Amino acid sequence: MTKKTITTLEADMTRLEADIRATAHMVTTDGDLTPEGRVNRHRNWGKDRKWNEQFDQIATGITSALEGAQAKADAARATMTTLPTGDAALAQEMRMNRRMKRIEAALNAGGTGPLLDLIATADDAELPFLLEHINDHHEAIGGDRANAGAQIVETALRDRNPDYAAAAKTAGAAGAALSIAREKLSYMRGLLDDPHTPPPGEWSHAAMSITGVVPAVADLAA
């Protein structure tokens, strides 16, 4: 079965919302029903039309696609940052000890050049140990310098690995889109349960288009 993209899933959600809203209007304007009766009729129509099943498919598809993009970036980063074990770990630790003066000099020099060069020229086996030491150094400093150091490392990793750079860029877009999606889905859950649920405010995330605000995620699929 063809996987649905965020664009397709969002269109499905828009159509579902329109169907629920039309029914909610009929129910809430029926003067012969009590408030409780309106809610019950709304829910019964929802069961007949399988609103919850449709919603669950949409919600699962959207969140899976966006979270999957973030997981892909995490996996790509892990290939560069995961420490080896056993004899390989011991060998690299010994090598790191021999190079420690150069590493410490680069860290204490400040600026971006020496640190970027260290990360760019490290071999694949050495890189995880180097990054661990750099991270420990930044955490010990704390504050703005630590944040700046973390950004330098991230830039260096993206420059080093184009596949990770692309995955990280998409993951950033997915993170922004996910905050919008969660509010839209929360609003829809409320509407499924209660026909009196008001439409979202004009400037709320629930009223925004996921792909309109974050077009980079349009083609992501669950």
Side-chain angles (χ1 to χ4, degrees):
M1 187 175 70
T2 303
K3 294 181 178 181
K4 289 189 174 184
T5 64
I6 297 293
T7 297
T8 304
L9 290 165
E10 188 168 31
D12 290 345
M13 183 161 56
T14 299
R15 286 191 291 270
L16 179 60
E17 180 187 3
D19 185 28
I20 299 171
R21 270 281 162 220
T23 303
H25 177 73
M26 287 189 290
V27 168
T28 56
T29 56
D30 189 334
D32 294 330
L33 294 172
T34 64
E36 183 180 359
R38 292 167 184 167
V39 171
N40 288 335
R41 180 168 293 181
H42 177 77
R43 292 174 181 174
N44 287 333
W45 275 346
K47 291 178 182 177
D48 291 340
R49 299 181 184 184
K50 300 186 183 303
W51 285 342
N52 281 291
E53 290 87 340
Q54 294 177 61
F55 172 78
D56 287 344
Q57 290 178 356
I58 292 168
T60 299
I62 289 176
T63 54
S64 294
L66 296 176
E67 290 174 353
Q70 294 175 309
K72 184 177 180 180
D74 290 340
R77 199 178 200 279
T79 63
M80 296 182 286
T81 60
T82 300
L83 292 166
T85 58
D87 291 343
L90 180 60
Q92 286 304 322
E93 286 177 2
M94 293 174 64
R95 183 179 180 187
M96 280 285 292
N97 287 334
R98 292 194 298 269
R99 300 188 64 203
M100 194 56 67
K101 287 185 178 180
R102 181 193 171 195
I103 294 169
E104 292 292 347
L107 289 171
N108 294 327
T112 61
L115 188 53
L116 287 172
D117 183 61
L118 273 180
I119 297 172
T121 58
D123 61 41
D124 291 343
E126 177 188 17
L127 185 62
F129 289 93
L130 176 63
L131 294 175
E132 182 182 53
H133 185 73
I134 292 171
N135 182 59
D136 289 345
H137 176 84
H138 289 150
E139 287 186 356
I141 294 173
D144 292 340
R145 282 190 63 190
N147 292 333
Q151 287 301 313
I152 293 171
V153 170
E154 178 65 14
T155 298
L157 292 178
R158 294 190 187 199
D159 289 344
R160 182 185 175 98
N161 188 331
D163 289 338
Y164 170 63
K169 182 178 180 181
T170 301
L178 195 55
S179 64
I180 297 172
R182 283 173 175 154
E183 287 202 25
K184 290 177 72 73
L185 294 171
S186 178
Y187 152 69
M188 285 286 287
R189 286 189 187 94
L191 182 59
L192 282 165
D193 190 60
D194 186 353
H196 302 96
T197 301
E202 182 180 1
W203 301 110
S204 72
H205 280 175
M208 297 177 182
S209 164
I210 299 170
T211 55
V213 177
V214 194
V217 304
D219 295 329
L220 292 179

